[in-house]
Amino acid sequence: MWPLRLWHTQDVPLLLSITLYMCHLAGAISIQSPQRSLTRSVQDDVVFSVDVSCRGIPTIHWTFMSAAVSRSIGTWQPGVYTNITVDYRDRVKPYNNGSMGLSDLRLQDAGYYVVTVTETEGSSKDAGFVLKVNEVLYEDLQYLSVSALVLACLAGLLMLAMWLLDKAYRRIVAWRRRKQMPENDETELQPL
Ligand SMILES: *[C@@H]1O[C@H](CO)[C@@H](O)[C@H](O)[C@H]1NC(C)=O
Ligand SMILES: *[C@@H]1O[C@H](CO)[C@@H](O)[C@H](O)[C@H]1NC(C)=O
């Protein structure tokens, strides 16, 4: 019997532990996320990207937390139901892998976002994200006003240059006329 001879007694504990480890992995809830800290600007969209896996259908629950408040955003079970809080209903997009999209960001959206994954059996696991929201509108306005100021200065300089050129031109013309006039006078006067 070839196969039996390959199974040395000292290999059994190793094989057992590998099997146990794999069972453990299969049972554990896993939450994979490429990025836990995100920075966006006001009015931008953000996706808290996770890939959730567990035994059975996971229940995904997202909560928002900041220094001032802690509020529930929504709960869903992929393909079963989706329950998003009224405040977030038109801004939140739930994904089957547990990810959550939040659109039209406001300054008040900055804070911690926690996803809690619950298995059918009742065990759960969570992962947190940090979102920073930058106020760009003010910076944009500042940039715009500085640009407007620079443009106005340029326009002013251009107008001044044109005015000076115009004046210089008039003076040259007048000077030429004055220079030509005596000759004309002479030629006109000579025949007399
Ligand atoms: C989850 O699903 C969304 C939409 O299908 C995808 O954009 C995102 O990358 C996924 N996240 C991960 C971590 O796989
Ligand atoms: C949706 O969630 C709210 C609280 O987050 C709860 O009061 C309500 O009963 C839920 N609705 C459904 C249909 O599960």
Coordinates of all heavy atoms in Angstrom, one line a residue, residues 72 81 83 85, ligand 2:
S72 N -25.8 56.0 13.6 CA -25.9 54.9 12.7 C -26.1 55.4 11.2 O -26.9 56.3 11.0 CB -27.0 54.0 13.1 OG -27.2 53.0 12.2
Y81 N -31.6 42.7 2.4 CA -32.2 43.9 2.6 C -31.2 45.1 2.8 O -30.0 44.8 3.0 CB -33.1 43.9 3.9 CG -32.3 43.8 5.2 CD1 -32.0 45.0 5.9 CD2 -31.9 42.6 5.7 CE1 -31.3 45.0 7.0 CE2 -31.2 42.6 6.9 CZ -30.9 43.8 7.6 OH -30.1 43.8 8.7
N83 N -31.0 48.9 4.7 CA -31.7 49.9 5.6 C -30.8 51.0 5.9 O -29.9 50.9 6.8 CB -32.2 49.2 6.9 CG -33.0 50.1 7.8 OD1 -33.3 51.2 7.4 ND2 -33.3 49.6 9.0
T85 N -30.2 54.9 7.1 CA -30.8 56.0 7.9 C -31.3 57.1 7.0 O -30.6 57.5 6.0 CB -29.8 56.5 8.9 OG1 -29.1 55.4 9.5 CG2 -30.4 57.3 10.0
Ligands
LIG2 C1 -33.9 50.5 9.9 O1 -33.0 50.9 10.9 C2 -33.6 51.7 11.9 C3 -32.5 52.1 12.8 O2 -31.2 52.1 12.3 C4 -34.6 50.8 12.6 O3 -35.3 51.6 13.6 C5 -35.7 50.4 11.6 O4 -36.6 49.5 12.2 C6 -35.0 49.6 10.5 N1 -35.9 49.2 9.5 C7 -36.0 48.0 8.9 C8 -37.0 47.9 7.9 O5 -35.3 47.1 9.3

